Amino acid sequence: MTTQHASRRRTQALAAAAVVAGLLTTTACGGGGDKTSGVGYDAATTKVVNAGTTKGGALRFAATQDGDSWDTTRSYYGFAWNFMRYYSRQLVTYKTEPGKAGATLTPDLATDMGRVSDDGRTYTFTLRDEVSWEDGKPITSKDVKYGIERQWAQDVLSGGPVYLKDILDPDGEYHGPYQDESADKLGLKAVETPDDRTIVFRLPQRNSDFPQMLAIPSASPVRQDKDTKSKYGLRPFSSGPYRFESYDPGKDLQLVRNPQWKEASDPIRKAYPDTVDVKFFSNANDMDQRLIAGDYDLDLGQSGLSPQGRQTALKQHKGNLDNPLSGYVRYATFPQNVKPFDNEHCRRAVIHGADHLSLQTARGGPVAGGDIGTNMLPPTVPGAQGVTYDPFDMAGADRNGNVAKAKQELAACGKPDGFTTTIAVRNNKPVEVATAQSLQASLKKIGIDAQIDQYDGSQTSGIVGSPDNVAKKGYGIVIDGWAADFPSVQGFGRPLWDGKYVLESGNVNYALIKDKAIDDLFDAYAKEPDEAAKVRIATQINHKVMEGAYYLPFTYEKYLNWRGGRLTNVYMTDAYNGYDFISLGVNSAKSSKSSKSSQSSQ
């Protein structure tokens, strides 16, 4: 593509984002011409909309990208974790309630929240009666243990979180179920299964977030005789109310009812739809048009409408929109294995040179994009200070950037005339591409020539998640976003900032931070029983990250989410930063198109 064409596309993208941001400002002030007074704008952010218990029908998801994996061990996408509750269960999971209450743990496969002993280092769980696999065989404690042990097979099953691996086996003595050379073949010694219904975890060291880690899909049971290793994500074996009927990667996916699932054994899932259907689109604008037309019920990705879709929806179907905080920080990060970003001053030059207001506008403005991010701890995590901690003055005097400071930092890093680099961004999210283009334009003013490379977002773990590939491609800036795996600084920041979490594939510590002070603070946090002390440690960790200039935060994200008119039991949950998928039903007597039209006429 010629420079002239790239410049024209950048101008058009930023102009479209500015139009939507202006429209959103008007909406926030009470204008915007709400034509859909039915249920109401932002109604499902804090309460249940269209409550009902009717079963039947097809729940229709639309998506612009496939899951990173449908293998419970390998996924790290929040929407995939949300979706996995259809076909996987854990010892504990999150309550099916709106907002913050939805991030509260509750028993799932287990009868209770576990019996804790040995100064917080031993957890004992008992499985419920009548929990079964899709072929009717009972789910056993050994299946839970085996599912957890798969985290050790990083050479085969990379990509997912490894909290349990690091906590249960900090010295790396166990080599995973595929390389178990022990004489007794009992597997991971820190987990015991004295009988088929009892599982005991013996932690070498206390970790106050351990129950939260058991709620992540990577702690789901997997039956050893059904484990197809690297191919398991193509056809996971179900422990939940739905099973895989068909899956064509990048095209479509369908779940159907699991006849062996017993509602009496599952206090969480109601399984309202008959089928759960997903259609994958290659273009976000096309997907948004189909959502608004009523052909689909909701967006699988739960990342909001694109600028074009937002503009149409706000004008004509505002009552179908919710505007929650997503829990995400959107940001750019600087891999230190790509020169010159091994130099802190070069990283600082980019932060100072960025036009933070333009980046916010590119992401949709203060309503659809969120407040300008001033540090890396999201407001939803204890210890966050929000805009009161703004070490680079990004929301203050330097919100449009500071060229003079940027050039001082360039001189300090030995690049007074600037340098060239590449921005890596997912190709299927127009808002992310617009963000990259905004940053590209800002950096040009300080002499940094940043080219943009758009990659397939469904292949993240092997592209930007591979430090070797990042170095090979010269990705000096990676645009991404992150929400807490669970609501603590450990659940948000440890995979991103702890040196022990740098992986060869599936890596998310893109900046390759290996700072002993940060690692020690995380260790202290995990052992600390006092909540007030944990908050203070969380704040200290955030300050250390910002002092290292490893990140350029863009926004504390908000977004405009499409809520289809057929949906029942719709609400936002803080557990997954989106609609709680397993609570959703559909009014099958009410077509999406007729529902949307009737709301629009009000």
Side-chain angles (χ1 to χ4, degrees), residues 106-133:
T106 189
D108 186 0
L109 283 172
T111 57
D112 55 32
M113 290 300 298
R115 298 176 295 284
V116 185
S117 58
D118 191 23
D119 193 29
R121 290 182 296 177
T122 299
Y123 290 76
T124 303
F125 293 91
T126 302
L127 270 59
R128 296 180 188 274
D129 292 325
E130 298 188 319
V131 290
S132 59
W133 292 102

Short mmCIF file of all heavy atoms in Angstrom, two decimals, residues 106-133:
data_model
loop_
_atom_site.label_atom_id
_atom_site.label_comp_id
_atom_site.label_asym_id
_atom_site.label_seq_id
_atom_site.Cartn_x
_atom_site.Cartn_y
_atom_site.Cartn_z
N THR A 106 -18.64 -18.99 44.03
CA THR A 106 -19.67 -19.88 44.56
C THR A 106 -19.32 -21.32 44.14
O THR A 106 -18.64 -21.52 43.13
CB THR A 106 -21.06 -19.47 44.01
OG1 THR A 106 -22.08 -20.20 44.69
CG2 THR A 106 -21.18 -19.73 42.52
N PRO A 107 -19.75 -22.33 44.89
CA PRO A 107 -19.44 -23.72 44.50
C PRO A 107 -20.06 -24.10 43.15
O PRO A 107 -21.16 -23.65 42.82
CB PRO A 107 -20.05 -24.54 45.63
CG PRO A 107 -20.17 -23.61 46.79
CD PRO A 107 -20.44 -22.26 46.18
N ASP A 108 -19.37 -24.93 42.40
CA ASP A 108 -19.87 -25.43 41.12
C ASP A 108 -19.85 -26.96 41.16
O ASP A 108 -20.80 -27.58 41.61
CB ASP A 108 -19.02 -24.87 39.97
CG ASP A 108 -19.55 -25.23 38.59
OD1 ASP A 108 -20.58 -25.92 38.51
OD2 ASP A 108 -18.93 -24.82 37.59
N LEU A 109 -18.77 -27.60 40.74
CA LEU A 109 -18.68 -29.06 40.89
C LEU A 109 -18.57 -29.45 42.35
O LEU A 109 -19.00 -30.54 42.75
CB LEU A 109 -17.45 -29.58 40.14
CG LEU A 109 -17.54 -29.71 38.62
CD1 LEU A 109 -16.17 -30.07 38.05
CD2 LEU A 109 -18.57 -30.75 38.20
N ALA A 110 -17.98 -28.58 43.15
CA ALA A 110 -17.78 -28.87 44.57
C ALA A 110 -19.04 -28.59 45.38
O ALA A 110 -19.88 -27.77 45.00
CB ALA A 110 -16.62 -28.06 45.12
N THR A 111 -19.13 -29.25 46.52
CA THR A 111 -20.30 -29.07 47.39
C THR A 111 -20.23 -27.77 48.17
O THR A 111 -21.25 -27.27 48.65
CB THR A 111 -20.42 -30.24 48.38
OG1 THR A 111 -19.19 -30.33 49.13
CG2 THR A 111 -20.66 -31.55 47.65
N ASP A 112 -19.01 -27.24 48.35
CA ASP A 112 -18.84 -25.99 49.09
C ASP A 112 -17.57 -25.31 48.60
O ASP A 112 -16.96 -25.75 47.62
CB ASP A 112 -18.79 -26.25 50.61
CG ASP A 112 -17.72 -27.27 51.01
OD1 ASP A 112 -16.67 -27.33 50.35
OD2 ASP A 112 -17.95 -28.00 51.99
N MET A 113 -17.16 -24.25 49.31
CA MET A 113 -15.99 -23.48 48.88
C MET A 113 -14.67 -24.10 49.36
O MET A 113 -13.62 -23.49 49.24
CB MET A 113 -16.10 -22.04 49.39
CG MET A 113 -17.19 -21.25 48.68
SD MET A 113 -16.88 -21.13 46.90
CE MET A 113 -15.32 -20.25 46.87
N GLY A 114 -14.73 -25.31 49.86
CA GLY A 114 -13.52 -26.00 50.29
C GLY A 114 -13.24 -25.82 51.77
O GLY A 114 -13.60 -24.81 52.37
N ARG A 115 -12.58 -26.80 52.32
CA ARG A 115 -12.18 -26.75 53.72
C ARG A 115 -10.69 -26.40 53.77
O ARG A 115 -9.84 -27.12 53.22
CB ARG A 115 -12.45 -28.10 54.39
CG ARG A 115 -13.94 -28.44 54.37
CD ARG A 115 -14.24 -29.81 54.94
NE ARG A 115 -13.69 -30.92 54.17
CZ ARG A 115 -14.19 -31.34 53.00
NH1 ARG A 115 -15.24 -30.73 52.45
NH2 ARG A 115 -13.63 -32.37 52.38
N VAL A 116 -10.39 -25.29 54.44
CA VAL A 116 -9.03 -24.75 54.45
C VAL A 116 -8.35 -25.09 55.77
O VAL A 116 -8.94 -24.92 56.84
CB VAL A 116 -9.05 -23.22 54.24
CG1 VAL A 116 -7.62 -22.68 54.13
CG2 VAL A 116 -9.85 -22.86 52.99
N SER A 117 -7.12 -25.56 55.69
CA SER A 117 -6.36 -25.92 56.89
C SER A 117 -4.88 -25.63 56.65
O SER A 117 -4.48 -25.11 55.60
CB SER A 117 -6.57 -27.40 57.22
OG SER A 117 -6.19 -28.23 56.14
N ASP A 118 -4.06 -25.97 57.65
CA ASP A 118 -2.60 -25.83 57.54
C ASP A 118 -2.20 -24.40 57.18
O ASP A 118 -1.40 -24.16 56.26
CB ASP A 118 -2.05 -26.83 56.50
CG ASP A 118 -0.54 -26.93 56.53
OD1 ASP A 118 0.07 -26.62 57.57
OD2 ASP A 118 0.03 -27.31 55.49
N ASP A 119 -2.79 -23.44 57.93
CA ASP A 119 -2.46 -22.02 57.75
C ASP A 119 -2.65 -21.57 56.30
O ASP A 119 -1.84 -20.83 55.74
CB ASP A 119 -1.02 -21.74 58.19
CG ASP A 119 -0.73 -20.25 58.32
OD1 ASP A 119 -1.66 -19.49 58.62
OD2 ASP A 119 0.44 -19.86 58.10
N GLY A 120 -3.74 -22.02 55.69
CA GLY A 120 -4.08 -21.58 54.34
C GLY A 120 -3.34 -22.29 53.23
O GLY A 120 -3.43 -21.88 52.08
N ARG A 121 -2.67 -23.40 53.55
CA ARG A 121 -1.90 -24.10 52.52
C ARG A 121 -2.55 -25.40 52.04
O ARG A 121 -2.06 -25.99 51.07
CB ARG A 121 -0.49 -24.40 53.04
CG ARG A 121 0.38 -23.15 53.20
CD ARG A 121 1.76 -23.48 53.66
NE ARG A 121 1.74 -24.09 55.00
CZ ARG A 121 2.83 -24.54 55.64
NH1 ARG A 121 4.01 -24.48 55.04
NH2 ARG A 121 2.72 -25.05 56.84
N THR A 122 -3.64 -25.82 52.69
CA THR A 122 -4.33 -27.04 52.27
C THR A 122 -5.81 -26.75 52.04
O THR A 122 -6.47 -26.16 52.88
CB THR A 122 -4.18 -28.15 53.32
OG1 THR A 122 -2.79 -28.46 53.49
CG2 THR A 122 -4.93 -29.40 52.89
N TYR A 123 -6.29 -27.16 50.86
CA TYR A 123 -7.69 -27.00 50.48
C TYR A 123 -8.25 -28.37 50.12
O TYR A 123 -7.66 -29.08 49.30
CB TYR A 123 -7.85 -26.08 49.27
CG TYR A 123 -7.54 -24.61 49.53
CD1 TYR A 123 -6.22 -24.17 49.64
CD2 TYR A 123 -8.57 -23.68 49.63
CE1 TYR A 123 -5.94 -22.83 49.86
CE2 TYR A 123 -8.29 -22.34 49.85
CZ TYR A 123 -6.98 -21.92 49.97
OH TYR A 123 -6.70 -20.60 50.18
N THR A 124 -9.39 -28.73 50.74
CA THR A 124 -10.03 -30.01 50.46
C THR A 124 -11.44 -29.78 49.94
O THR A 124 -12.23 -29.05 50.55
CB THR A 124 -10.10 -30.87 51.74
OG1 THR A 124 -8.77 -31.05 52.26
CG2 THR A 124 -10.72 -32.23 51.44
N PHE A 125 -11.75 -30.39 48.78
CA PHE A 125 -13.06 -30.24 48.14
C PHE A 125 -13.70 -31.62 47.96
O PHE A 125 -13.01 -32.61 47.70
CB PHE A 125 -12.93 -29.59 46.77
CG PHE A 125 -12.47 -28.16 46.80
CD1 PHE A 125 -11.11 -27.86 46.73
CD2 PHE A 125 -13.38 -27.12 46.88
CE1 PHE A 125 -10.68 -26.54 46.75
CE2 PHE A 125 -12.95 -25.80 46.91
CZ PHE A 125 -11.59 -25.50 46.85
N THR A 126 -15.03 -31.64 48.06
CA THR A 126 -15.81 -32.82 47.77
C THR A 126 -16.71 -32.54 46.57
O THR A 126 -17.40 -31.51 46.53
CB THR A 126 -16.69 -33.21 48.97
OG1 THR A 126 -15.85 -33.44 50.10
CG2 THR A 126 -17.50 -34.47 48.66
N LEU A 127 -16.73 -33.45 45.60
CA LEU A 127 -17.56 -33.27 44.40
C LEU A 127 -19.03 -33.59 44.69
O LEU A 127 -19.33 -34.44 45.53
CB LEU A 127 -17.07 -34.16 43.26
CG LEU A 127 -16.01 -33.57 42.32
CD1 LEU A 127 -14.75 -33.17 43.08
CD2 LEU A 127 -15.67 -34.55 41.20
N ARG A 128 -19.91 -32.92 43.98
CA ARG A 128 -21.35 -33.17 44.10
C ARG A 128 -21.70 -34.56 43.57
O ARG A 128 -20.96 -35.14 42.77
CB ARG A 128 -22.14 -32.13 43.29
CG ARG A 128 -22.00 -30.70 43.76
CD ARG A 128 -22.82 -29.78 42.87
NE ARG A 128 -22.56 -28.39 43.19
CZ ARG A 128 -23.19 -27.70 44.15
NH1 ARG A 128 -24.15 -28.30 44.85
NH2 ARG A 128 -22.89 -26.44 44.38
N ASP A 129 -22.86 -35.04 43.97
CA ASP A 129 -23.42 -36.25 43.38
C ASP A 129 -23.90 -35.96 41.97
O ASP A 129 -24.27 -34.83 41.62
CB ASP A 129 -24.60 -36.75 44.22
CG ASP A 129 -24.17 -37.24 45.60
OD1 ASP A 129 -23.08 -37.82 45.70
OD2 ASP A 129 -24.95 -37.04 46.56
N GLU A 130 -23.92 -36.99 41.13
CA GLU A 130 -24.55 -36.97 39.81
C GLU A 130 -23.94 -35.94 38.85
O GLU A 130 -24.64 -35.42 37.98
CB GLU A 130 -26.06 -36.76 39.92
CG GLU A 130 -26.78 -37.86 40.68
CD GLU A 130 -28.28 -37.71 40.61
OE1 GLU A 130 -28.78 -36.57 40.72
OE2 GLU A 130 -28.96 -38.73 40.41
N VAL A 131 -22.66 -35.64 39.01
CA VAL A 131 -21.99 -34.81 38.00
C VAL A 131 -21.40 -35.77 36.97
O VAL A 131 -20.73 -36.74 37.31
CB VAL A 131 -20.91 -33.90 38.61
CG1 VAL A 131 -21.57 -32.81 39.45
CG2 VAL A 131 -19.92 -34.68 39.47
N SER A 132 -21.67 -35.51 35.68
CA SER A 132 -21.30 -36.50 34.67
C SER A 132 -20.79 -35.85 33.39
O SER A 132 -21.07 -34.68 33.10
CB SER A 132 -22.50 -37.40 34.34
OG SER A 132 -23.58 -36.63 33.86
N TRP A 133 -20.06 -36.66 32.63
CA TRP A 133 -19.58 -36.27 31.30
C TRP A 133 -20.70 -36.45 30.28
O TRP A 133 -21.75 -37.03 30.58
CB TRP A 133 -18.38 -37.13 30.90
CG TRP A 133 -17.16 -36.87 31.73
CD1 TRP A 133 -16.68 -37.63 32.75
CD2 TRP A 133 -16.27 -35.76 31.61
NE1 TRP A 133 -15.53 -37.08 33.27
CE2 TRP A 133 -15.25 -35.93 32.59
CE3 TRP A 133 -16.22 -34.64 30.78
CZ2 TRP A 133 -14.21 -35.01 32.75
CZ3 TRP A 133 -15.18 -33.74 30.93
CH2 TRP A 133 -14.19 -33.92 31.90
#
